[in-house]
Amino acid sequence: MSFDPEVLGAALPDYTLLSARPLSGGLSNRCWQLTMRHRCTGMSIEAVWRPESAASRAFGLSREHEHRILSQLAPSGLAPASLRCFSPASAQQAPERKAFQQSLRQNAPLSGLLVAWVPGREADATFSDTALMQLLARIHHQPAPQWRLDVRAKAEHYWQYIHPQDKSPALQQLYHRFQATAPQAWFSDTCCHHDLGRYNIILRPDGGETVIDWEYASAGDPSLDLALTLNANGIDDTRQRAGAIRGYCRARGEQNVARWQQAVSAWQPWCDYLAMLWFYVGANLWQTPSYRTTAEPLLAKLSTKKQPDPQN
């Protein structure tokens, strides 16, 4: 992914870009850590440039949505501050942004999100399952965004970006079966992160936690977000998984733990299905064999179940 500091500089005339380095990790997008200095005050700030790109389009991500949810979460302290969003939607809402766009080179338009850098370290296994579930419960307590995750619509979007050579008869059969099945609605929509791995939790020097990478966030069934969180953190042992679900219910004051256990189990095939399609998209997008080799076991797992049913 190319990065043109002149384009960003034209859109941020009050700042001088001192340095820019690509960030490691981040499977959906390739982001940049920036150091900028205000021309008048001389103060330096650290930020992350999260571009709109072929990858964000393939995965159906919206920087405008990400900006809106970060702004909504600002009072909670759960997320980094959104410094500025550069997108067609925000340009329509802000006349000064339109002027910025007109000042950019036509062959290198700027589109993306500038987010405050969060100092600290990435959470690891020392960040307990209990703490993880409490954090997830805090996220689910926030007001739900106006857009929501529809798993079949998301799968349909992914399907358009999978290479035809990967659309084997087995994959096509699986795709049509899932798309023909409406998942059960278990609980009322909440604010959901949909990618709450420990790799997206920064433990700040002051002892608090900040969740980053809200690009998949939306309104959604919290039990789906719970299932995705368990998967993202490798919580697959039956006893550990049950304990984490109990911890989540305790954090939210939920009494019917059995129903949450049932809901998470029902969502698991959908989690595997979306993950499989995601990796096939990545294989086509970046031509990296590891994505395909990760997708294929999920295809085998979902295809070999006896009379598989996404709802059970």
Side-chain angles (χ1 to χ4, degrees):
M1 180 189 68
S2 61
F3 176 78
D4 191 336
E6 293 184 9
V7 176
L8 184 61
L12 297 169
D14 294 335
Y15 287 89
T16 299
L17 182 63
L18 301 179
S19 66
R21 68 176 185 87
L23 290 171
S24 60
L27 296 179
S28 298
N29 285 278
R30 301 300 187 257
C31 300
W32 294 75
Q33 182 182 355
L34 312 178
T35 302
M36 301 183 297
R37 183 174 59 222
H38 196 277
R39 295 181 187 273
C40 294
T41 67
M43 293 183 62
S44 295
I45 65 168
E46 299 285 323
V48 176
W49 174 243
R50 297 173 62 74
E52 288 206 14
S53 61
S56 61
R57 290 187 291 274
F59 292 120
L61 306 177
S62 166
R63 295 303 180 208
E64 176 65 23
H65 280 176
E66 189 176 355
H67 165 70
R68 285 163 59 187
I69 197 166
L70 290 180
S71 300
Q72 176 180 303
L73 290 169
S76 72
L78 281 167
S82 178
L83 302 179
R84 186 166 295 180
C85 182
F86 301 94
S87 73
S90 60
Q92 293 173 4
Q93 297 172 9
E96 68 276 10
R97 175 68 203 114
K98 186 175 181 180
F100 276 144
Q101 286 284 22
Q102 292 173 347
S103 71
L104 304 181
R105 298 205 307 267
Q106 292 183 355
N107 64 342
L110 186 70
S111 187
L113 183 65
L114 197 64
V115 177
W117 172 260
V118 180
R121 64 179 180 87
E122 181 180 301
D124 55 23
T126 61
F127 189 74
S128 68
D129 290 353
T130 298
L132 179 66
M133 293 298 104
Q134 290 173 345
L135 183 57
L136 182 64
R138 285 181 61 199
I139 292 172
H140 290 171
H141 184 67
Q142 304 304 310
Q146 295 179 344
W147 61 97
R148 78 180 306 274
L149 173 63
D150 181 313
V151 290
R152 289 191 296 178
K154 193 68 169 178
E156 183 178 358
H157 178 89
Y158 287 164
W159 188 254
Q160 307 306 314
Y161 288 87
I162 294 174
H163 196 282
Q165 291 183 353
D166 284 321
K167 294 180 179 179
S168 64
L171 183 58
Q172 291 187 54
Q173 182 180 15
L174 198 64
Y175 171 75
H176 291 303
R177 176 173 64 79
F178 271 85
Q179 296 304 107
T181 305
Q184 180 174 337
W186 291 89
F187 301 99
S188 299
D189 282 359
T190 66
C191 176
C192 295
H193 186 275
H194 293 135
D195 190 20
L196 191 65
R198 287 180 170 88
Y199 47 80
N200 277 334
I201 301 170
I202 302 299
L203 304 180
R204 304 190 307 268
D206 64 5
E209 309 104 19
T210 298
V211 179
I212 60 172
D213 292 2
W214 290 81
E215 56 196 355
Y216 290 99
S218 69
D221 188 322
S223 60
L224 170 58
D225 199 20
L226 175 55
L228 289 168
T229 300
L230 296 174
N231 290 355
N233 292 280
I235 304 175
D236 48 17
D237 175 79
T238 302
R239 177 176 291 185
Q240 184 186 10
R241 200 172 176 90
I245 295 172
R246 286 194 302 271
Y248 170 82
C249 290
R250 187 162 50 249
R252 286 199 69 191
E254 296 284 348
Q255 301 301 317
N256 194 347
V257 178
R259 180 166 174 79
W260 284 89
Q261 300 267 14
Q262 185 181 8
V264 168
S265 295
W267 279 118
Q268 186 57 50
W270 287 98
C271 294
D272 291 339
Y273 173 61
L274 289 176
M276 174 195 68
L277 296 179
W278 190 97
F279 280 109
Y280 275 124
V281 172
N284 183 36
L285 187 65
W286 290 304
Q287 299 300 310
T288 303
S290 61
Y291 285 83
R292 188 170 287 105
T293 56
T294 303
E296 288 170 350
L298 291 169
L299 173 59
K301 175 183 176 182
L302 292 167
S303 299
T304 55
K305 288 181 64 178
K306 187 176 181 180
Q307 293 187 345
D309 183 350
Q311 293 199 52
N312 295 294

